Amino acid sequence: AVLYDLLSNQTAANIMTTTTLKTVIFLGSARNITPPWGGDSRLGDRVIKWVKSVMESREEPLGADTISHDIRIIDPIEIFGPNGALSYSGGELSKPTFFMDQSTLPAAAKELQQAINEADCYLVVSPEYNHIMPPALSSVMGHFGGSNYKCKPSGIITYSPGIFGGMRAAMTIQVMLHELGCLPVSKLCGIGNVSEVLNVDGTPKDPEDRMLNQLPDLLQQLEWMAVAMANQRKLTGTF
């Protein structure tokens, strides 16, 4: 029996494969001004650097697979900036892609739409403005119809300079993600007092800070759902 178990474990190890999930990360803030009281021009830069580092180094077992991520970060400052993929429409969402003749869609917007459509899962990294999601986030994601997002999972990471970690915005982001069809996993990641938790380069000030444990827990749920939903899409397509 012991020999059988050893052989079974060796066989399982030999057939383990790597599954790379295409993961699109939406950055929610387009702020680019330093407040009069000082601090970062965009606190989210610390958070997205931390998230990017975690994602790029992540290799987690899931059944017979090892899960890794091929990430694409969508930054509204770049997307709506000069020559950005959605600069033709602007943050006010004057020209949603699903109201346009696809033959007239700018090449950069087509490429962005394709990246969103081909993703296996999504992450949103966002602050809260007036206790809700920032308009830049809803505008970027809202430029593309729900058919691009549906039957895939998403995860929500929020942050704030104070103690609440953007949790009130997370509640409003959940609703949007539900309606787009990329269902959010139940685990949330909220980083409060960001400048006390993360350095400017995104490295943790204290790697043992318990707040940092939220992200691996969220990713575990996201990866499970992403693989399950991808398998079902292959089997039956989407609804």
Side-chain angles (χ1 to χ4, degrees), residues 126-191:
S126 179
E128 64 177 38
Y129 289 175
N130 298 318
H131 303 167
I132 60 173
M133 78 178 83
L137 174 62
S138 58
S139 179
V140 170
M141 296 193 74
H143 267 85
F144 305 95
S147 61
N148 295 282
Y149 300 97
K150 69 179 182 179
C151 302
K152 304 169 192 176
S154 60
I156 301 170
I157 303 164
T158 54
Y159 62 89
S160 72
I163 62 173
F164 295 109
M167 282 292 105
R168 290 168 293 196
M171 300 301 102
T172 65
I173 295 169
Q174 281 184 330
V175 175
M176 177 180 71
L177 296 178
H178 273 290
E179 292 305 312
L180 287 173
C182 49
L183 305 182
V185 298
S186 61
K187 182 66 179 179
L188 297 170
C189 176
I191 306 297

Side-chain angles (χ1 to χ4, degrees), residues 36-102:
W37 52 86
D40 300 21
S41 61
R42 183 168 63 170
L43 196 58
D45 288 344
R46 300 188 189 215
V47 182
I48 193 64
K49 289 174 184 176
W50 168 62
V51 172
K52 181 174 182 285
S53 175
V54 170
M55 300 290 286
E56 288 180 338
S57 63
R58 188 170 173 83
E59 291 186 352
E60 288 296 312
L62 180 62
D65 290 347
T66 297
I67 305 298
S68 64
H69 294 264
D70 177 12
I71 65 173
R72 167 78 177 266
I73 297 173
I74 297 179
D75 184 339
I77 290 180
E78 297 174 2
I79 294 300
F80 293 125
N83 301 314
L86 299 178
S87 59
Y88 73 92
S89 176
E92 67 274 22
L93 219 172
S94 65
K95 298 180 180 67
T97 58
F98 47 88
F99 275 93
M100 296 180 64
D101 183 333
Q102 293 300 295

Side-chain angles (χ1 to χ4, degrees), residues 3-17 63-64:
L3 179 60
Y4 176 79
D5 289 343
L6 287 172
L7 290 173
S8 297
N9 290 337
Q10 288 175 353
T11 301
N14 290 335
I15 63 173
M16 284 190 73
T17 58

Side-chain angles (χ1 to χ4, degrees), residues 112-133:
L112 181 59
Q113 183 177 36
Q114 182 178 0
I116 292 170
N117 182 268
E118 293 179 353
D120 296 301
C121 56
Y122 308 96
L123 281 172
V124 171
V125 178
S126 179
E128 64 177 38
Y129 289 175
N130 298 318
H131 303 167
I132 60 173
M133 78 178 83

